[in-house]
Amino acid sequence: MNAKTLYDKLWDSHVVRQEADGTALIYIDRQLVHEVTSPQAFEGLKLAQRKPWRTASMLAVPDHNVPTANRAAGITDPISRLQVETLDANCAEFGITEFKMGDIRQGVVHVMGPEQGATLPGMTVVCGDSHTSTHGAFGALAHGIGTSEVEHVMATQCLVAKKSKAMQVKVEGVLRTGVTAKDIALAVIGKIGTAGGTGYAIEFTGGTIRGLSMEGRMTLCNMAIEAGARAGMVAADEVTFDYIKGRPFAPQGAQWEQAVAFWRTLHSDEGAKFDATLELDAAQIKPQVTWGTSPEMVLAIDGNVPDPASISDSVKRSDTERALQYMGLTANMPITAIQIDKVFIGSCTNGRIEDVRAAAAVAKGKKIAANVKLAMVVPGSGLVKAQAEQEGLDKILIAAGFEWRDPGCSMCLAMNDDKLSPGERCASTSNRNFEGRQGQGGRTHLVSPEMAAAAAIAGHFVDVSKL
Amino acid sequence: MQKFSQLDGLVVPLDRANVDTDAIIPKQFLKSIKRSGFGPNAFDEWRYLDHGEPGMDNSKRPVNSDFVLNQTRYQGAQILLARENFGCGSSREHAPWALEDYGFRVIIAPSFADIFFNNCFKNGLLPIKLPAYQVDALFNAVETNTGYKLKVDLERQVITAPDGAVYSFEVDAHRKHCLLNGLDDIGLTLQHVSDIKTFETKHSAAQPWLFA
Ligand code: SF4
């Protein structure tokens, strides 16, 4: 028998039919829905007088537009409000389960799904959102799709897709203190570039990955898309099963045993062939900070901002010049000399309980620096928020000067009121540092929650492992 | 979906790598619940000098005359020439909607981000991958020749330049068929309802917890 990769197994077990050119119909087990990329899909469905194929496979939540403060007042921006109301109406019309804004289970779609046990090993998961790759952390095949595809999956329960190539990113060794899954993700992107994973599904393997919590694995798979890969995955193991067990959408009773037995078969076989392999030594990874306007523009905390004059490739040189100019940085300056104005801890990358704990551990008994105008912690979901409050983390953070908000995407993409003003510089635990991502003219530096909290206290980037 | 077979179109060069979907259509425009009308806000932050919000009269906004799309010689361009990893970032289909609404039908680049590449085909836009050295040559040609046009023939999978040079390109048979005939995938897939049902029965027997 041929040795198969995890990706082969997930793919093969979902092929409904395949054309001669390799185009396949893939069956979808779970579709997550949010307010931004679904209205046109629902409209298309209705115009064609179609109904969702299997509403039980769908789970919806508003997250991008929701306010993170003063929720009782509702959404003040009428256009944002209409988008959320449209989701509510569509879910009501078709009988789709939705966790609305007032529901404690509401949160960023990629935090909410796994938290509910709605993401399971062996599943195919889609959502009209590129960070759907997050769910691959459970040994699922999960990818982001466009709105036409959202409509397609609603109508047919299938996705038209072609198999990607398989890449293995193998990380072995012990992480230094203060180095997290986020730093692994950024280090990988720094190595292969934002297009390095294009056309691949990435499986993260190795002892370091096995040692990560589910939260860490989700952070890693979440960022796979920033390396250009549509899907990232980690084979399920005891850590996965422990996380899932007892969650509302998880299998129960005899089915649980049956499921776990099946899930144990979902791993890359000995000798399975990958189209590409990247190996990393965990001990070499230092806390990472992005300096530019693409996640691949990243350096270790002890690095210096690049000098365009030393770059020979002309496209790269002009990209670097443009990025430095946008970011308001000078060539060769140390990363630790970069002063920040704001701090954002949250998002589907780093808005889980472990992330809040990490930030609180760094902030405990300290105060944010005088030059930091705003440091906000936005839990990834209402349940993360409740858990953190039960552990007293909110009090620690508030005492240190952080704002403690309600769950949502918030300043990850600034579709709600949380945004940077032009020229403002932010230490952010989100996943994208594109121009204008956190507000027009805003400057984003991507870091881990530990590094963001440390920067809030120091007022500039510091090596959290040396605190 | 709009059909695509042939085009003889003016080319505009966008000389930046890693152009992301946030740049193609900034997030404030994603609040729309419609599929159309995004064209005037394509590349909003680069095209205008002020900050754009939905509902503004775009014809009254101050224009950034340095931005390539605003230069007189490129008005009416239907072919966008771009650099590597075009369309990276979010899955928003608003990006191809905006490009299509602006008037583009073809995007030529050395590489594209996956989701964006897929989304183009669903909206009558043809993304073409050419080797980097050919894209370089085209950048040179467009910048030195005002009114530079290319002929794109999807049926034959070739681009013909004014100097007679021919560039051939790859495209999936399935996507080509859909684009040539303006077919949307849902209708095609629904021809296979019985296959889907058969699969579903087998799948629910193997992993019943997925259907609990
Ligand atoms: S938190 Fe950010 S990246 Fe994640 S779904 Fe929301 S907007 Fe997208």
Side-chain angles (χ1 to χ4, degrees):
Chain A
M1 212 180 74
N2 273 347
K4 286 182 165 189
T5 62
L6 169 60
Y7 176 56
D8 291 331
K9 291 180 186 180
L10 294 170
W11 175 270
D12 292 349
S13 61
H14 288 88
V15 176
V16 172
R17 53 176 285 127
Q18 193 154 346
E19 309 292 337
D21 75 342
T23 305
L25 268 189
I26 297 297
Y27 189 82
I28 300 304
D29 297 313
R30 174 72 68 209
Q31 180 170 28
L32 301 165
V33 179
H34 68 71
E35 80 277 20
V36 182
T37 53
S38 67
Q40 297 87 352
F42 279 114
E43 188 192 46
L45 207 63
K46 286 187 256 192
L47 284 174
Q49 299 188 315
R50 292 178 177 132
K51 289 213 163 12
W53 182 284
R54 191 157 72 86
T55 45
S57 70
M58 299 167 73
L59 190 55
V61 69
D63 55 3
H64 286 62
N65 283 281
V66 301
T68 61
N70 195 17
R71 279 242 165 125
I75 305 175
T76 46
D77 174 357
I79 316 179
S80 283
R81 189 171 61 233
L82 176 64
Q83 201 166 51
V84 172
E85 286 170 356
T86 304
L87 178 68
D88 294 349
N90 283 323
C91 289
E93 179 174 347
F94 292 112
I96 297 162
T97 305
E98 182 199 3
F99 299 144
K100 294 193 195 178
M101 208 169 84
D103 194 309
I104 191 169
R105 297 167 294 182
Q106 180 267 339
V108 181
V109 64
H110 310 305
V111 176
M112 176 280 291
E115 188 172 74
Q116 290 298 319
T119 304
L120 298 173
M123 269 185 168
T124 42
V125 181
V126 295
C127 176
D129 194 288
S130 58
H131 292 99
T132 310
S133 60
T134 310
H135 307 266
F138 289 80
L141 178 57
H143 38 229
I145 56 177
T147 297
S148 296
E149 292 174 313
V150 169
E151 183 183 340
H152 188 279
V153 176
M154 285 178 181
T156 69
Q157 206 62 37
C158 292
L159 183 68
V160 179
K162 254 189 162 176
K163 198 172 173 188
S164 306
K165 290 177 287 183
M167 182 188 292
Q168 172 176 223
V169 174
K170 189 173 186 183
V171 193
E172 293 287 1
V174 181
L175 289 172
R176 304 179 185 202
T177 13
V179 177
T180 68
K182 180 66 164 284
D183 302 299
I184 303 178
L186 288 170
V188 169
I189 297 163
K191 263 212 155 71
I192 67 174
T194 47
T198 304
Y200 288 97
I202 298 180
E203 181 181 352
F204 297 96
T205 67
T208 316
I209 308 300
R210 296 259 76 84
L212 292 176
S213 64
M214 281 320 294
E215 285 85 352
R217 295 177 191 185
M218 284 190 259
T219 301
L220 193 56
C221 291
N222 174 278
M223 297 285 287
I225 183 72
E226 305 313 328
R230 235 176 136 184
M233 61 195 87
V234 175
D237 58 14
E238 298 308 319
V239 177
T240 323
F241 309 148
D242 285 349
Y243 180 96
I244 298 169
K245 194 165 190 188
R247 293 187 184 259
F249 286 72
Q252 317 279 342
Q255 270 193 355
W256 170 257
E257 301 303 329
Q258 196 189 350
V260 171
F262 174 69
W263 295 343
R264 286 189 204 282
T265 68
L266 299 176
H267 53 77
S268 290
D269 297 327
E270 196 71 45
K273 290 247 178 326
F274 288 90
D275 301 289
T277 294
L278 173 73
E279 296 194 19
L280 254 70
D281 176 2
Q284 299 300 318
I285 304 172
K286 295 177 188 164
Q288 306 280 305
V289 182
T290 64
W291 56 268
T293 52
S294 159
E296 71 186 25
M297 295 173 166
V298 65
L299 285 166
I301 179 69
D302 57 1
N304 289 351
V305 170
D307 184 352
S310 68
I311 301 172
S312 52
D313 180 282
S314 68
V315 176
K316 260 225 159 81
R317 185 171 55 240
S318 68
D319 279 351
T320 304
E321 276 165 2
R322 194 182 289 121
L324 289 183
Q325 194 194 8
Y326 181 86
M327 293 298 289
L329 300 174
T330 44
N332 299 313
M333 75 186 282
I335 293 282
T336 48
I338 302 173
Q339 301 255 338
I340 54 162
D341 305 304
K342 287 188 172 169
V343 176
F344 170 65
I345 297 175
S347 86
C348 59
T349 313
N350 285 122
R352 300 185 178 79
I353 187 66
E354 189 175 81
D355 304 310
V356 184
R357 284 182 192 138
V362 172
K364 190 165 189 175
K366 311 239 171 57
K367 283 265 182 266
I368 63 171
N371 60 305
V372 174
K373 289 184 255 179
L374 171 73
M376 60 196 291
V377 183
V378 182
S381 72
L383 289 168
V384 170
K385 186 177 190 202
Q387 174 70 29
E389 287 174 354
Q390 206 187 327
E391 295 176 20
L393 305 177
D394 57 326
K395 296 211 175 60
I396 295 173
L397 290 161
I398 293 167
F402 286 84
E403 290 194 13
W404 181 244
R405 298 291 187 92
D406 285 324
C409 293
S410 180
M411 210 156 70
C412 173
L413 96 164
M415 256 182 98
N416 67 354
D417 293 331
D418 309 333
K419 49 178 81 116
L420 298 179
S421 303
E424 276 183 342
R425 189 181 298 288
C426 182
S428 178
T429 67
S430 55
N431 42 49
R432 288 193 175 133
N433 51 351
F434 299 156
E435 285 184 21
R437 172 79 177 180
Q438 295 193 289
Q440 195 179 24
R443 295 161 170 163
T444 303
H445 297 271
L446 303 176
V447 287
S448 71
E450 286 85 338
M451 286 288 285
I457 306 299
H460 57 88
F461 291 109
V462 286
D463 188 344
V464 68
S465 62
K466 300 215 172 112
L467 287 188
Chain B
M1 187 179 80
Q2 250 195 102
K3 286 185 193 181
F4 184 98
S5 54
Q6 285 178 342
L7 176 73
D8 184 6
L10 187 69
V11 185
V12 59
L14 182 60
D15 198 358
R16 295 190 182 201
N18 298 312
V19 170
D20 57 79
T21 53
D22 283 71
I24 298 171
I25 183 83
K27 71 252 165 181
Q28 59 271 32
F29 303 105
L30 270 51
K31 294 176 184 179
S32 167
I33 55 171
K34 300 249 169 319
R35 226 175 234 274
S36 54
F38 295 101
N41 302 109
F43 301 108
D44 198 274
E45 292 188 4
W46 294 343
R47 238 165 109 194
Y48 303 96
L49 295 169
D50 62 347
H51 174 74
E53 282 293 331
M56 282 169 98
D57 180 352
N58 295 296
S59 64
K60 301 225 167 77
R61 296 175 57 197
V63 160
N64 173 10
S65 51
D66 287 344
F67 185 53
V68 71
L69 250 58
N70 289 330
Q71 295 170 17
T72 326
R73 61 187 280 201
Y74 298 121
Q75 295 314 300
Q78 290 180 288
I79 301 178
L80 180 65
L81 184 64
R83 293 290 186 184
E84 58 265 28
N85 202 26
F86 187 83
C88 60
S90 108
S91 66
R92 63 187 70 162
E93 201 158 317
H94 312 66
W97 293 338
L99 295 173
E100 193 265 349
D101 199 54
Y102 179 87
F104 290 119
R105 297 302 311 277
V106 172
I107 307 166
I108 302 173
S111 59
F112 294 88
D114 279 341
I115 305 179
F116 175 81
F117 190 72
N118 265 327
N119 284 343
C120 284
F121 286 100
K122 318 274 178 197
N123 294 284
L125 266 176
L126 175 62
I128 298 177
K129 278 184 231 173
L130 288 184
Y133 75 91
Q134 293 184 347
V135 172
D136 271 343
L138 288 173
F139 265 97
N140 275 329
V142 179
E143 281 158 8
T144 44
N145 301 294
T146 305
Y148 190 82
K149 288 177 134 192
L150 289 171
K151 286 198 173 82
V152 180
D153 184 335
L154 175 58
E155 182 65 61
R156 291 170 49 229
Q157 297 181 212
V158 291
I159 299 173
T160 312
D163 62 0
V166 173
Y167 304 87
S168 55
F169 59 88
E170 295 293 319
V171 58
D172 276 354
H174 174 83
R175 286 174 167 149
K176 178 176 172 178
H177 175 73
C178 290
L179 210 47
L180 283 173
N181 298 293
L183 296 174
D184 91 283
D185 278 337
I186 298 181
L188 286 177
T189 300
L190 288 174
Q191 293 172 3
H192 305 299
V193 163
S194 65
D195 288 350
I196 304 172
K197 292 209 161 129
T198 309
F199 177 90
E200 208 165 42
T201 310
K202 190 185 79 181
H203 197 50
S204 70
Q207 298 180 56
W209 56 88
L210 297 178
F211 294 80

